[in-house]
Amino acid sequence: MNIVDDAARRTLVRRGFALEYTTLGWNVIGIVVLAIAAISARSVALAGFGLDSLIEIGASTVVIWELSGTGEDRRRRALKLIGGAFALLAVYLLVQSTWVLAAGFRPRHSPLGIGWTAVTAAVMFALALGKARTGTALDNPVLRIEGRVTLIDGLLATAVLLGLLLNSLAGLWWADPAAGYVLVYYALREAKEIFSGEH
């Protein structure tokens, strides 16, 4: 590898760190905002989305750890941890969606929740794209696959947003948990691919 390639790689690694630290910061702030919104609206969906932010924080921490070192063993362990994050996300979505549907729980209108999930969806989609491109350029499956966790976070934010809007505008309280079931399939598929070595 020549000097230009080394310099380009260092730039890409710095970009990877920046993407992960941005994800971490956003989700740490998000936990506080979502807690306030969930309590004021008595929203199980918003509280659950806050738990999802904890999973995303864990996944980002794994990538930062992996980018800080080298070695195939370190990469394999990092991929397994990301796979575990996908599995946890699937379990969380399945339990939350089933519980909300079974309980018939109807949250209050939440302007803060609507605003936060709308902005979060846009931010997560942008971060996921950046991680996919940077991970591909670095030939780093850990960064690339963790970008899929971020993508699911954006999709989940969109689902929660849609549920909040349908609840506020049309009284369709069941829309959010129903959308969660679609993401369960996606998260389980990603976990299966990681653990089976199909990445």
Side-chain angles (χ1 to χ4, degrees):
M1 185 177 287
N2 59 38
I3 295 175
V4 175
D5 290 333
D6 285 338
R9 182 171 182 79
R10 284 195 298 273
T11 299
L12 287 167
V13 169
R14 281 196 300 272
R15 186 186 303 163
F17 276 119
L19 288 164
E20 293 302 335
Y21 280 122
T22 301
T23 305
L24 270 174
W26 187 271
N27 281 293
V28 168
I29 294 169
I31 288 172
V32 177
V33 173
L34 289 165
I36 294 169
I39 291 169
S40 64
R42 297 190 313 162
S43 170
V44 174
L46 287 170
F49 190 49
L51 293 176
D52 169 69
S53 295
L54 284 174
I55 294 173
E56 177 68 27
I57 287 170
S60 292
T61 302
V62 168
V63 178
I64 290 169
W65 169 73
E66 195 275 335
L67 286 173
S68 300
T70 57
E72 191 59 33
D73 183 58
R74 189 181 187 101
R75 180 166 289 186
R76 276 195 301 271
R77 281 186 289 164
L79 283 170
K80 286 182 180 179
L81 288 170
I82 298 296
F86 270 116
L88 282 173
L89 185 55
V91 170
Y92 145 69
L93 288 168
L94 183 62
V95 171
Q96 179 201 341
S97 297
T98 302
W99 187 82
V100 171
L101 282 173
F105 190 84
R106 291 165 171 79
R108 298 172 183 159
H109 175 61
S110 176
L112 176 60
I114 289 171
W116 181 259
T117 53
V119 176
T120 295
V123 170
M124 291 301 124
F125 288 142
L127 288 169
L129 179 62
K131 291 175 186 182
R133 289 180 174 173
T134 305
T136 299
L138 279 171
D139 192 25
N140 185 316
V142 175
L143 179 57
R144 194 172 65 247
I145 291 172
E146 194 277 329
R148 295 180 195 167
V149 178
T150 307
L151 175 63
I152 288 183
D153 200 35
L155 291 171
L156 183 57
T158 303
V160 172
L161 173 62
L162 182 60
L164 292 171
L165 288 172
L166 288 174
N167 178 60
S168 294
L169 301 175
L172 302 178
W173 59 271
W174 48 263
D176 170 58
Y181 285 117
V182 176
L183 299 181
V184 169
Y185 168 77
Y186 185 84
L188 286 175
R189 187 186 69 180
E190 293 294 335
K192 176 180 176 292
E193 287 182 4
I194 291 170
F195 287 119
S196 66
E198 295 173 20
H199 54 79

